[in-house]
Amino acid sequence: MGAAPAKMASFGLLAEFDNPQALVDAADRARREGFVKMEGYSPFPVEGLREALGQKRTLMPVAIFFGGITGTITGFMLQTLTSGGLPAEWDAWIPFNQWFSYRLNIAGRPFFSWQAFVPPMFELTILFAAFTAVFGMLAINGYPRLNHPLFEVPEFGRASVDRFFLCIESEDKLYDNEKTREFLKNLKPLTISEVPA
Amino acid sequence: MTDMATKEAKVPDKDSLFTGTYNFGTVTSKINDIVTGPTGKGWVVGFAVSFLILQVLLMAVTWLLYEGIGTWGVNVPVGWGFDIINFVWWIGIGHAGTLISAILLLFHQQWRTSINRFAEAMTLFAVACAGLYPLAHMGRPWFFYWLMPYPSTMQLWPQFRSPLIWDVFAVSTYLTVSLLFWYTGLVPDFASLRDRAKNIWARRAYGILSLGWRGAARHWHRYETSYLLLAGLSTPLVLSVHTIVSFDFAVGNVPGWHATIFPPYFVAGAVFAGFAMVVNLAIPARAAYGLKDYITDKHLDNMAKVMLASGWIVFFGYGVEAFMAYYSGSPEERDLFMKNRAFGPYGLWYWMLILCNGIIPQLFWWEYFRRSMFWLWMISFVINIGMWLERFVILMSLQRIPWQSSAWGQYSPTFWDLSTYFGTFGLFFTLFFLFLRLVPMISAFEMKHMLPESHTHAPGSGGHH
């Protein structure tokens, strides 16, 4: 390992506040100052914090929509193919058709009874969309991740209880251990801690 | 310091959704201390009794597996007995949890906040109890995976035109999505349990369950977006599940079942019974754990109003059934209604269900009955009995008289039917007591959001902070 750049010795500086408004105001000041690589931490979602930090809207709804569509198509294909929904004459051309199809004649009803396929298609739409919503959200957020530099700071234990934190990360171009600490001091936080890398 | 901590105690308002004076820290400790604090004597007794009743279920199921379905009272012509009645009853109860957590979230009903966790847990446990019945009814439950579409060596696939297969998709999706919804809501609360835990093993266990949640603004934003969409997905899901359950009956060409009123009437019945069960559980739980500041009389009052409204939809459904029996002009439909439902061998049960579901809940028009804990609990209990009787009458009155009169028969539950039903209460309450002890029963992070000091204004626009 080569010597890491001096400024990478820490993850960043963490300022602690006791109410959400102070955090929003601090984040807003930091953004105006030009900081980009920063993050706010709170025990519950704080309105306006994302805008104050200059973060973009999430594309989760688009992902969830496509997850749902995938479910619909899966449900349709699953039932159509296995019920012998494709004509038997196609078997020569589409080999998988005969591998899957299970042509049951139920009171002379058509093999391709799409109306009866709607309920499972609907359920699979919901199921796939829900999987995307939960597992997609966790994956994009980088969870599960049980270790994190922030957990080394004792004060951060209250981030899930009643304290609000602003962390300016050392990866930020404007980051300078001394100057950034001075800047954070002006925001009048309760504490400022250096987060070890 | 936060303003709230220094503020004087407010005069309690009877319509308040959150009474007492709390700040972010005390909300967390109030809810989490139930989980991290010592085990109460009442909990031990309650859990022990539930666990004992669970053994009755295990005994009944063991005997069923050893001896076969013949231990139940079902036979030709009545093939669907207690198993289907109780399946529909339990799954209906589960629906209120999803309704509270999803539909009320979409409608921005703040009164959902302190009861949603609780009601969602009830959903999960009720669906677990419900799912047992069709599995047990298969006779050979170890082949349950035959219901799933998978490429078997025999190239056999499920019969997708059957409502029973729709049921498999609906119920398994419902259980999965309810579990995801519940767990997603729990992640931030597990994080605060992790951070406040003193015991190293508790810290590790809740640390794993919290997945390492840090509460970053980016994460919260994605979390809230996904959670809201999940609520949007759960809402049609819960309607579809009971609709499909009603299709089990309505799609068949059986007089008295083959009716288009079934889906809406079943869904309304599910909401009706489910809210009754939430009230039955919430009143003792909030008293036992001193949570009257969080689950206020206003919450219970609102739930009573929902029961009143959904009860009327159910009552309307009974009216439509009676009217359609007459209006269809079909002698079978008329005979069935007059001789096998309203009067005849099941007449008593029919009028009891009208009394329990139609007449007694009308007391909720009076505020006194919505606010009196004794009466609210009793009426909710009666509604649960009434909804069980409804399923009993719907199933029994028709199956015993198939088209050929030579095949007519009777059904009566056996000891094993009754013990299986009794035993599922053991399963339900065992799970519920474990939930009360191990998981925060109120969503702490959402309760913090109810506090006035959680609200922010745009930076620089001035404010009192």
Side-chain angles (χ1 to χ4, degrees):
Chain A
M1 285 286 287
K7 72 170 189 172
M8 291 302 286
S10 76
F11 176 81
L13 284 168
L14 187 68
E16 178 183 9
F17 301 92
D18 73 352
N19 68 77
Q21 189 62 49
L23 174 60
V24 173
D25 292 342
D28 187 64
R29 292 262 309 268
R31 192 192 74 244
R32 286 168 200 277
E33 194 76 11
F35 290 108
V36 180
K37 299 266 183 200
M38 58 178 175
E39 185 60 281
Y41 299 88
S42 56
F44 54 84
V46 172
E47 285 138 43
L49 181 57
R50 178 177 66 82
E51 291 81 357
L53 287 162
Q55 295 171 353
K56 288 194 196 111
R57 273 184 78 102
T58 174
L59 291 175
M60 276 311 295
V62 181
I64 294 168
F65 173 77
F66 282 105
I69 293 289
T70 310
T72 318
I73 295 171
T74 307
F76 180 79
M77 295 301 280
L78 171 74
Q79 297 178 84
T80 304
L81 292 178
T82 59
S83 307
L86 301 181
E89 301 86 70
W90 293 11
D91 287 2
W93 307 98
I94 312 174
F96 65 74
N97 197 30
Q98 53 180 329
W99 302 342
F100 288 123
S101 58
Y102 183 58
R103 294 191 173 92
L104 270 179
N105 186 337
I106 307 289
R109 290 187 182 87
F111 295 128
F112 179 58
S113 318
W114 66 267
Q115 298 90 337
F117 298 164
V118 169
M121 276 164 68
F122 177 82
E123 299 301 330
L124 287 181
T125 307
I126 302 284
L127 185 67
F128 280 44
F131 277 152
T132 317
V134 174
F135 298 118
M137 179 270 290
L138 291 175
I140 297 173
N141 283 347
Y143 294 119
R145 177 176 176 181
L146 301 185
N147 68 323
H148 193 275
L150 284 167
F151 292 136
E152 301 300 323
V153 181
E155 285 83 4
F156 193 71
R158 291 179 75 170
S160 64
V161 183
D162 58 354
R163 289 284 194 263
F164 303 81
F165 293 86
L166 178 70
C167 179
I168 296 182
E169 292 163 21
S170 59
E171 282 178 20
D172 194 278
K173 272 185 283 188
L174 297 178
Y175 185 86
D176 176 281
N177 213 329
E178 296 310 311
K179 283 181 193 158
T180 307
R181 188 181 283 269
E182 277 308 306
F183 166 76
L184 285 175
K185 254 183 204 161
N186 289 331
L187 301 175
K188 302 198 172 53
L190 300 178
T191 62
I192 298 176
S193 327
E194 187 162 346
V195 185
Chain B
M1 276 309 289
T2 47
D3 300 342
M4 200 68 183
T6 53
K7 210 175 275 180
E8 282 173 42
K10 283 183 295 185
V11 181
D13 170 8
K14 81 181 175 66
D15 285 338
S16 177
L17 292 171
F18 196 175
T19 57
T21 44
Y22 289 96
N23 59 35
F24 298 134
T26 51
V27 166
T28 314
S29 54
K30 176 88 181 166
I31 296 170
N32 285 5
D33 286 353
I34 296 171
V35 176
T36 51
T39 309
K41 277 199 190 90
W43 186 89
V44 174
V45 172
F47 179 76
V49 171
S50 311
F51 194 68
L52 214 64
I53 299 172
L54 173 63
Q55 307 314 307
V56 178
L57 177 70
L58 293 181
M59 184 180 69
V61 171
T62 308
W63 181 242
L64 174 83
L65 295 184
Y66 178 77
E67 187 70 12
I69 292 294
T71 57
W72 288 355
V74 288
N75 208 331
V76 176
V78 180
W80 283 2
F82 258 44
D83 50 336
I84 305 296
I85 297 170
N86 297 334
F87 163 71
V88 179
W89 188 75
W90 274 117
I91 205 152
I93 282 174
H95 286 354
T98 320
L99 191 102
I100 288 171
S101 56
I103 299 183
L104 298 183
L105 178 72
L106 295 182
F107 287 154
H108 295 288
Q109 292 296 308
Q110 284 203 320
W111 62 276
R112 79 177 266 288
T113 302
S114 57
I115 49 176
N116 66 333
R117 172 76 44 76
F118 194 86
E120 284 167 40
M122 184 195 76
T123 295
L124 285 175
F125 308 149
V127 174
C129 291
L132 270 178
Y133 288 100
L135 282 177
H137 196 190
M138 271 181 234
R140 290 182 291 170
W142 47 95
F143 291 130
F144 73 95
Y145 59 88
W146 286 9
L147 290 166
M148 294 291 167
Y150 71 102
S152 69
T153 49
M154 290 177 288
Q155 297 194 352
L156 273 164
W157 291 92
Q159 163 40 357
F160 289 112
R161 297 177 199 85
S162 162
L164 299 181
I165 285 294
W166 303 347
D167 232 14
V168 173
F169 276 82
V171 175
S172 56
T173 300
Y174 186 50
L175 182 62
T176 313
V177 173
S178 301
L179 187 64
L180 288 177
F181 197 67
W182 186 64
Y183 182 69
T184 307
L186 274 168
V187 166
D189 281 357
F190 280 142
S192 66
L193 275 169
R194 167 199 68 198
D195 292 338
R196 294 179 78 251
K198 297 197 171 62
N199 177 321
I200 178 81
W201 292 106
R203 186 153 72 233
R204 282 179 187 167
Y206 288 119
I208 291 168
L209 286 169
S210 73
L211 306 170
W213 183 258
R214 299 190 294 281
R218 263 187 199 84
H219 298 176
W220 275 123
H221 172 54
R222 293 185 191 118
Y223 177 93
E224 275 199 300
T225 308
S226 297
Y227 195 70
L228 190 66
L229 282 165
L230 212 50
L233 291 164
S234 301
T235 302
L237 175 66
V238 67
L239 301 181
S240 83
V241 172
H242 229 62
T243 297
I244 290 175
V245 168
S246 82
F247 282 169
D248 290 344
F249 307 99
V251 170
N253 184 18
V254 178
W257 283 1
H258 195 58
T260 47
I261 189 72
F262 262 42
Y265 147 60
F266 266 55
V267 170
V271 171
F272 189 44
F275 269 85
M277 190 59 123
V278 176
V279 168
N280 278 165
L281 296 173
I283 290 176
R286 76 167 196 162
Y289 288 103
L291 291 170
K292 287 189 182 169
D293 288 343
Y294 291 62
I295 302 172
T296 63
D297 289 356
K298 178 67 181 163
H299 289 99
L300 296 164
D301 183 61
N302 280 350
M303 285 195 270
K305 285 176 183 164
V306 173
M307 280 191 267
L308 187 59
S310 54
W312 268 104
I313 303 176
V314 175
F315 205 23
F316 175 75
Y318 300 149
V320 170
E321 278 192 320
F323 175 74
M324 289 311 290
Y326 156 74
Y327 193 66
S328 68
S330 147
E332 286 82 8
E333 293 270 5
R334 285 183 186 180
D335 260 25
L336 181 120
F337 187 81
M338 291 309 287
K339 294 182 189 157
N340 264 294
R341 192 167 276 182
F343 304 99
Y346 297 101
L348 174 65
W349 305 119
Y350 182 79
W351 292 107
M352 273 192 51
L353 88 86
I354 296 287
L355 181 71
C356 291
N357 291 348
I359 313 293
I360 292 175
Q362 301 312 319
L363 291 171
F364 285 149
W365 285 108
W366 286 276
E367 192 176 20
Y368 173 76
F369 291 98
R370 299 196 304 267
R371 297 271 178 167
S372 151
M373 288 311 112
F374 173 76
W375 285 112
L376 181 57
W377 197 91
M378 289 306 282
I379 297 169
S380 301
F381 190 71
V382 163
I383 289 171
N384 269 317
I385 295 173
M387 286 307 295
W388 189 89
L389 287 171
E390 179 204 297
R391 276 71 176 242
F392 178 77
V393 168
I394 287 176
L395 270 115
M396 287 310 131
S397 59
L398 315 166
Q399 288 184 86
R400 63 169 287 269
I401 46 159
W403 296 98
Q404 254 184 337
S405 51
S406 61
W408 288 9
Q410 253 321 347
Y411 168 85
S412 58
T414 64
F415 170 76
W416 297 105
D417 280 305
L418 295 166
S419 56
T420 310
Y421 181 46
F422 182 59
T424 43
F425 284 95
L427 176 63
F428 181 82
F429 283 105
T430 301
L431 292 169
F432 204 79
F433 274 105
L434 286 175
F435 158 74
L436 290 179
R437 191 71 193 86
L438 297 173
V439 173
M441 71 171 108
I442 291 177
S443 174
F445 85 89
E446 284 176 307
M447 288 309 286
K448 286 178 214 171
H449 215 190
M450 298 268 287
L451 293 172
E453 63 263 40
S454 76
H455 299 293
T456 53
H457 51 82
S461 69
H464 58 278
H465 284 286

